[in-house]
Amino acid sequence: MPKMGSHARCRPSLPGLFLPLLLLLTPSAAAPTTKPYINSTADYSTECKTCPHSLCTNKQYYISGDSLNATCWTRGTKIAGDTLWLRTEAGCYVTQYDIAEYDGDYTAVLEYCGKDSEGEDLTEEDGTLQYKTECRICPDLQCDVVAYLPEETDVTLTCWTDEGQTVIDDPIWLKTRNNCYVAEIGLYSKPDTTYLDNCGPIPFLEIELHNNENVTSEVDKRNAFPEPVIHSPHYLINVTVGEDFAYCRDRPDVSGKIEKRYPFNSEVWLQCLVENNGTWWSETTDFCYVKNSDFWESPEGDYYRNPLCAYFGEPPS
């Protein structure tokens, strides 16, 4: 007859045997959980960049309402007080400022893209402006003017595009370290684009939604424009002389010294406008002034919307 209690010794209780194993198999409640992506939409047109900085080239862009998946987060140019950027399923980066607000913390839910993702890889080439130049937020004459740059201004060019609006006979625009685009025609010499990256696809942008003044890192900071631009003026407009001669003077005044004389029906390229005692004058690409009444067209009219010369300030000494 077995001894009392021998059965218990031969078959230990199940909880005593399996409890440590169950503890090992049960995930800790404190362990973080990450998602492979977070779905979002673009609030308005935004550039998806090859690196998380405003000067980086574009891989693609999203327009308002476009869906995208954010797959990881990183740090880049400060936009609206925040350095957080997101990599999308397309393998490019958007600032979180440009997409729908997320009710949560991207850094807690998505993986970090890695330290290498924070780099800024740019190509650069120097250039000098030969004319007064409107530096625009995108390479089109309908895009807002970010900065008015006087002639002889040195600029650092970072990329090029031939998808811009043709000015005179040249469709190429270049992005500068002012984080805006200048038309190639305004430079003394054409840059060697073999040393510059292509800017990639560029959406139509508006300063109201993308002006980073005072909230962007110093290297990417844009020069402030003198006043809001309601209607973008045209650049280097072409007009025709309607008098026997149009006298181009060293200042916008009939008593000014005559620097050049344009004959009847000749084409003249204009940079900007000056009003003097009720008379409108235009500064030509020869850097002298002609009365607008000497042209067939009216450069000061609504059709042209040419900028005032005063916007550009004095050229560098």
Side-chain angles (χ1 to χ4, degrees), residues 73-145:
W73 65 272
T74 189
R75 304 178 188 89
T77 298
K78 184 182 290 185
I79 305 293
D82 200 329
T83 60
L84 185 67
W85 288 64
L86 301 165
R87 186 161 69 197
T88 76
E89 78 282 5
C92 49
Y93 300 86
V94 295
T95 167
Q96 71 158 344
Y97 184 76
D98 286 354
I99 64 176
E101 186 174 353
Y102 174 61
D103 185 18
D105 182 357
Y106 283 112
T107 65
V109 180
L110 293 178
E111 292 185 349
Y112 173 48
C113 300
K115 186 65 179 177
D116 289 346
S117 68
E118 297 185 22
E120 184 180 41
D121 185 18
L122 302 177
T123 55
E124 293 186 343
E125 191 169 340
D126 293 332
T128 303
L129 300 174
Q130 65 173 326
Y131 303 128
K132 292 176 171 63
T133 298
E134 298 159 332
C135 199
R136 295 179 180 271
I137 195 170
C138 47
D140 190 287
L141 294 178
Q142 301 307 312
C143 296
D144 294 335
V145 177

Side-chain angles (χ1 to χ4, degrees), residues 151-184:
E151 66 274 18
E152 306 301 329
T153 296
D154 293 328
V155 289
T156 301
L157 311 170
T158 62
C159 65
W160 67 276
T161 179
D162 58 3
E163 300 292 324
Q165 183 173 350
T166 298
V167 178
I168 303 182
D169 58 356
D170 192 338
I172 293 179
W173 292 63
L174 299 112
K175 191 172 186 178
T176 75
R177 271 201 170 271
N178 290 81
N179 203 11
C180 53
Y181 296 84
V182 295
E184 181 181 61

Side-chain angles (χ1 to χ4, degrees), residues 237-314:
I237 67 170
N238 174 250
V239 293
T240 309
V241 174
E243 301 291 337
D244 289 341
F245 293 99
Y247 295 101
C248 200
R249 302 177 183 272
D250 66 347
R251 62 182 187 274
D253 191 291
V254 291
S255 62
K257 177 185 175 183
I258 297 173
E259 301 278 356
K260 197 172 183 68
R261 190 173 68 167
Y262 302 112
F264 176 74
N265 253 6
S266 61
E267 291 187 339
V268 181
W269 296 95
L270 308 181
Q271 299 190 68
C272 56
L273 295 166
V274 177
E275 191 269 335
N276 185 12
N277 293 324
T279 300
W280 284 101
W281 297 71
S282 290
E283 183 177 12
T284 76
T285 52
D286 292 309
F287 293 96
C288 50
Y289 300 87
V290 177
K291 284 193 301 182
N292 287 357
S293 58
D294 289 344
F295 300 121
W296 286 114
E297 302 84 356
S298 298
E300 74 279 10
D302 289 338
Y303 178 75
Y304 291 104
R305 302 192 301 276
N306 222 15
L308 297 178
C309 297
Y311 287 179
F312 299 91
E314 295 297 321

